[in-house]
Amino acid sequence: MHEISSRDQLLNHVRDFVALKVSERPELLAAFLVGSVARADPLWANTTDFDVIFVDPDPPVNLEPCLLWKDSLLIDVQHFRPEDYENRAIIKKDAMCGQSLYDAVPLHDTKNFFALLQAYVRGQFDTAENVVDRAADAMRRAYLHYDEISEMREVPVPIPIDPNDIKHLHDVLDWAATAVLVLAYKPRYGRRQAFCFGETLSQMGHTNILELAEQSIGFSVISDEGIDGMREQWLEIFRAAGKFHKGQWDDDKCAHPLKERYYVDGFDKLGAVGHTRSSLFLMEYTVAAAFNHILSHAPAEAAAPYVRQYTRWMEMSGKGSARQFSNCLVQLSELLHRVECLIYEFANDNGIVYELKMGR
């Protein structure tokens, strides 16, 4: 894994990678870098990855999502078609794509495709209307994930909780956090998402929402001493996903074995600044993705020990019974309401009409 030296040096490495890919496939229309390095955030941890997006008229079918460039630089690759960017008005209001394009660094561009697209997105990007639209888009995504699990408030579910349902739970929180960050004119933060969410809520005077987030996911029952043991379990389950991997990573690409050092370094950094608990959010999401991968690919006998480990994890994280999971969802609905109220207040302060969707 690459250890950070300087942003300029890192950008040169990524440009070399893109130049090679363009030489192999000259039909590539554009390539750009998104994420923390693109937006020139202070280099936060000792290892990082680079999110490169290719605009490709004919994206490859079997694409490896993570690769090591020059044996040390972790690169996440995504391909989008040109038509994915046709509706530029919608992109500017998109909670993920809009911010990514605003911050992106061009690495390859033909016919000024990227330059014109970014110029459009940056126009009036931070007007109150567009901020509200992006926050509302983040909430729309949160609701979609909430709808996938909301009925479990009333219906008993098998224990341990399906890892896909755990991922939905985390996705609700992640998009609710994104809505709050948007209101503060901030981007999504990857490994630091939970930490920056809490920091932003503190600055806004809403630490009660952060407490509600921990209750919504069951983490309020976890002691600081218990986190070390959970991290050991995380490592075993995460590595097992790579061991049993077959075929494409699909929705569980966050459990790709090349990501291990990237995550561990992030966990260490959060611990070093006194925020070990913030690492739990990403730790549990990736352990659920890894366990889901084990269930999908490992023989039943080989998967059995990890079923027991995952069951124990859910018990430690306050989701070891149907009643506990139901209680999490009750708190989660309250969190969604409170985050929506923040959007409502922001919109009202700026003379914008915004209707609350989530009732108490």
Side-chain angles (χ1 to χ4, degrees):
M1 187 68 66
H2 188 86
E3 293 197 358
I4 291 174
S5 52
S6 73
R7 179 174 181 264
D8 288 342
Q9 183 181 18
L10 297 180
L11 288 175
N12 286 335
H13 283 307
V14 176
R15 288 188 178 104
D16 289 343
F17 164 75
V18 169
L20 175 64
K21 295 302 176 183
V22 171
S23 70
E24 294 172 347
R25 301 186 66 237
E27 66 271 22
L28 288 169
L29 189 58
F32 50 94
L33 178 71
V34 301
S36 60
V37 176
R39 60 179 177 258
D41 283 353
L43 297 178
W44 175 66
N46 291 326
T47 58
T48 191
D49 70 348
F50 300 84
D51 297 304
V52 175
I53 293 177
F54 288 104
V55 182
D56 193 336
D58 186 22
V61 176
N62 297 318
L63 175 69
E64 185 64 25
C66 302
L67 56 92
L68 284 179
W69 173 242
K70 296 184 177 178
D71 298 323
S72 64
L73 199 72
L74 177 60
I75 297 180
D76 288 345
V77 177
Q78 297 182 71
H79 286 249
F80 290 91
R81 298 178 184 274
E83 51 266 34
D84 293 330
Y85 298 100
E86 285 180 355
N87 194 334
R88 297 183 178 185
I90 293 296
I91 291 173
K92 187 184 296 187
K93 300 174 182 179
D94 187 294
M96 176 180 281
C97 186
Q99 185 70 57
S100 295
L101 280 168
Y102 182 91
D103 297 322
V105 171
L107 302 171
H108 170 69
D109 199 10
T110 58
K111 303 178 182 178
N112 288 321
F113 178 88
F114 174 80
L116 293 171
L117 175 62
Q118 187 176 57
Y120 182 87
V121 169
R122 285 180 169 178
Q124 297 186 323
F125 184 78
D126 280 339
T127 62
E129 290 83 1
N130 283 325
V131 169
V132 169
D133 283 338
R134 287 194 297 279
D137 180 58
M139 290 304 295
R140 177 187 62 83
R141 296 168 187 255
Y143 294 140
L144 288 175
H145 289 287
Y146 181 76
D147 287 345
E148 292 291 330
I149 54 177
S150 60
E151 66 178 16
M152 297 178 189
R153 291 175 57 171
E154 309 295 339
V155 179
V157 294
I159 299 299
I161 304 295
D162 188 311
N164 285 308
D165 293 329
I166 295 298
K167 290 196 293 178
H168 282 306
L169 177 67
H170 279 263
D171 282 327
V172 175
L173 277 170
D174 183 52
W175 284 113
T178 297
V180 171
L181 292 170
V182 166
L183 294 178
Y185 298 88
K186 295 180 180 180
R188 291 163 61 86
Y189 283 98
R191 291 178 294 182
R192 287 183 290 166
Q193 179 83 338
F195 170 69
C196 293
F197 175 48
E199 189 177 55
T200 301
L201 286 171
S202 295
Q203 293 166 355
M204 297 170 71
H206 290 286
T207 54
N208 58 329
I209 295 180
L210 182 61
E211 295 169 1
L212 193 56
E214 284 215 348
Q215 295 168 11
S216 299
I217 210 158
F219 289 169
S220 55
V221 304
I222 300 176
S223 67
D224 291 346
E225 294 75 20
I227 296 177
D228 287 341
M230 296 179 74
R231 185 163 159 178
E232 291 176 5
Q233 291 187 53
W234 174 87
L235 191 59
E236 290 183 20
I237 295 173
F238 189 88
R239 287 179 174 175
K243 173 184 174 182
F244 295 116
H245 165 70
K246 297 176 183 177
Q248 299 301 303
W249 284 91
D250 300 323
D251 291 340
D252 291 323
K253 63 183 179 181
C254 66
H256 195 288
L258 291 181
K259 291 274 194 177
E260 178 185 320
R261 175 71 187 280
Y262 169 77
Y263 292 140
V264 169
D265 188 66
F267 301 155
D268 288 342
K269 181 64 176 180
L270 287 167
V273 296
H275 287 275
T276 300
R277 295 184 69 81
S278 293
S279 67
L280 282 169
F281 292 84
L282 181 58
M283 200 182 297
E284 184 167 273
Y285 185 90
T286 49
V287 88
F291 180 62
N292 189 55
H293 201 76
I294 293 169
L295 290 180
S296 300
H297 299 284
E301 184 175 333
Y306 301 103
V307 174
R308 290 192 289 271
Q309 276 190 299
Y310 174 77
T311 302
R312 176 58 181 152
W313 178 292
M314 289 298 112
E315 291 170 349
M316 293 179 67
S317 70
K319 297 179 286 293
S321 70
R323 179 186 57 80
Q324 286 180 320
F325 193 66
S326 175
N327 289 341
C328 286
L329 296 179
V330 171
Q331 300 302 316
L332 188 62
S333 66
E334 176 64 18
L335 179 138
L336 287 172
H337 174 78
R338 293 193 192 181
V339 172
E340 268 231 288
C341 284
L342 294 182
I343 302 175
Y344 177 82
E345 291 168 4
F346 181 95
N348 190 57
D349 290 344
N350 288 276
I352 299 167
V353 175
Y354 179 83
E355 296 183 5
L356 293 174
K357 302 179 183 65
M358 173 64 72
R360 289 184 183 273

